[in-house]
């Protein structure tokens, strides 16, 4: 497993932007598949975006065109650039990783149980 620490959350007005970061410790082979999930109050956790080491990425329909996932392999940091934020984006955002290669579409679809998770960072969108 790998240790994951998220940062970058905060409060923003609708239409604003935030960039989340997730620092991964340990061997890079422990984070072949990485993803962002989120959980809003009273709702189930849902996949937001996922990426694998070869760069293939996938996004949930509700963030396509607004969010971008990327990974700095040298620094072992996963990012989520969030633009045009909406009230519905308010949630705790979690970083997840697994040493196995999973198709990103299936990761955000919740078909796999990722083996490592961060503690989350709060994102609040309010006017």
């Amino acid at each position: 497993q790998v240790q994951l620490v998220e940062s970058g959350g905060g409060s923003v007005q609708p239409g604003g932007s935030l960039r989340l970061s997730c620092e991964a410790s340990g061997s890079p082979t422990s984070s072949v598949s990485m993803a962002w999930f989120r959980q809003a109050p009273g709702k189930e956790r849902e996949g937001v975006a996922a990426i694998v080491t070869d760069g293939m990425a996938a996004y949930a329909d509700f963030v396509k065109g607004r969010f971008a996932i990327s990974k700095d392999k040298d620094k072992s940091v996963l990012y989520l650039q969030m633009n045009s934020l909406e009230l519905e984006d308010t949630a705790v955002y979690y970083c997840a990783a697994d040493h196995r290669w999973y198709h990103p579409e299936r990761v955000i679809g919740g078909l796999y149980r990722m083996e490592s998770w961060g503690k989350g960072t709060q994102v609040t969108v309010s006017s």
Side-chain angles (χ1 to χ4, degrees):
Q1 292 189 350
V2 62
Q3 300 297 317
L4 303 172
V5 179
E6 303 97 335
S7 62
S11 296
V12 65
Q13 292 184 339
S17 299
L18 285 173
R19 188 176 81 156
L20 305 183
S21 299
C22 172
E23 293 193 40
S25 62
S27 171
T29 59
S30 298
S31 53
V32 172
S33 298
M34 297 193 76
W36 289 99
F37 291 79
R38 72 184 188 185
Q39 187 166 20
K43 295 186 177 181
E44 293 188 354
R45 186 174 62 197
E46 58 186 358
V48 176
I51 191 168
V52 289
T53 51
D54 58 12
M56 183 188 299
Y59 298 89
D61 287 343
F62 51 80
V63 302
K64 282 182 180 178
R66 300 189 298 124
F67 291 10
I69 189 171
S70 61
K71 184 177 180 183
D72 184 326
K73 296 179 181 180
D74 293 334
K75 297 181 180 179
S76 296
V77 181
L78 181 72
Y79 299 102
L80 184 68
Q81 179 65 45
M82 305 187 296
N83 300 324
S84 301
L85 283 162
E86 302 170 353
L87 297 175
E88 293 76 19
D89 295 318
T90 295
V92 177
Y93 284 71
Y94 298 92
C95 175
D98 201 291
H99 75 280
R100 291 161 287 199
W101 193 100
Y102 291 142
H103 196 291
E105 291 281 357
R106 296 188 173 187
V107 171
I108 60 175
L111 295 179
Y112 303 113
R113 184 175 182 177
M114 304 292 276
E115 61 190 2
S116 300
W117 291 84
K119 294 183 178 181
T121 185
Q122 176 71 47
V123 171
T124 302
V125 184
S126 67
S127 55

